[in-house]
Amino acid sequence: MTRPAGLEHHPDLIEMRARYEQAGSSPTAQGTDGLTLLAGLYLAISPWVVGFNGLSRLSVSNLVTGVALAALAMAFASAYGRTYGVSWIAPIIGIWTIVAPWLTGSATTATIWNNVVTGIIIFLLGLGAVAVGARKMPGMTSRRDRPGTRDMSGRPDISGRPDIPGRPDMPGRP
């Protein structure tokens, strides 16, 4: 049984990395990364800001997930082309932040409000980080946009042939 080749053998590796680096350097991505970093730092210090008196499990949870989120945001800001594949972790951290007061047994009014509001912000910023990698950047082409290449199924891509009309609802597609 043969194994599929790793990403390092992908024929468009350089183009893919350039696309993600370009996406990561956009003002939207930079703003999202900066706000995610601030949200992670706030989450880490929130037990002392809000005053989670004696709630050690939730305090540790917020500290650890806040530092992890801040590190993830710094990785996105410095090398999005290499870290876009883990961008889905940020929304998961947001969901964890929302449910943590109940799962750690530390649900008080202050902890619930702090974690739910902070978790929603982190979740939305995380979705923004995921969306940055999914955006089509101007000036970048994909294999599907080039005539004579093959699609994922191995069939020839006929979108560039003038004798076969494309679909009007999807330009460039057969």
Side-chain angles (χ1 to χ4, degrees):
M1 176 176 211
T2 61
R3 290 187 172 189
L7 188 58
E8 59 273 354
H9 300 294
H10 194 281
D12 293 331
L13 180 63
I14 295 171
E15 186 177 344
M16 284 173 41
R17 284 194 178 148
R19 175 181 173 262
Y20 287 117
E21 286 300 329
Q22 182 181 6
S25 64
S26 72
T28 303
Q30 291 174 351
T32 301
D33 296 341
L35 291 173
T36 304
L37 174 66
L38 291 175
L41 292 176
Y42 173 76
L43 182 62
I45 65 168
S46 67
W48 296 276
V49 172
V50 176
F52 294 6
N53 297 325
L55 304 175
S56 62
R57 286 182 288 183
L58 185 59
S59 299
V60 170
S61 172
N62 282 9
L63 177 65
V64 170
T65 54
V67 169
L69 182 65
L72 190 62
M74 289 174 41
F76 291 158
S78 63
Y80 191 76
R82 299 204 184 261
T83 59
Y84 70 90
V86 294
S87 62
W88 59 270
I89 293 174
I92 300 295
I93 290 175
I95 292 170
W96 168 255
T97 302
I98 293 170
V99 299
W102 293 281
L103 294 179
T104 61
S106 306
T108 66
T109 304
T111 60
I112 290 170
W113 275 105
N114 178 70
N115 277 38
V116 168
V117 171
T118 306
I120 289 170
I121 291 169
I122 292 169
F123 179 76
L124 294 174
L125 289 170
L127 289 179
V130 170
V132 165
R135 236 175 48 194
K136 180 152 175 81
M137 299 302 294
M140 300 300 282
T141 61
S142 67
R143 286 182 63 87
R144 189 139 176 85
D145 295 338
R146 290 179 279 184
T149 58
R150 297 188 177 273
D151 64 8
M152 294 296 285
S153 66
R155 295 185 306 254
D157 182 11
I158 58 173
S159 62
R161 290 186 48 188
D163 58 328
I164 301 175
R167 292 178 50 185
D169 60 331
M170 296 178 168
R173 287 210 164 157

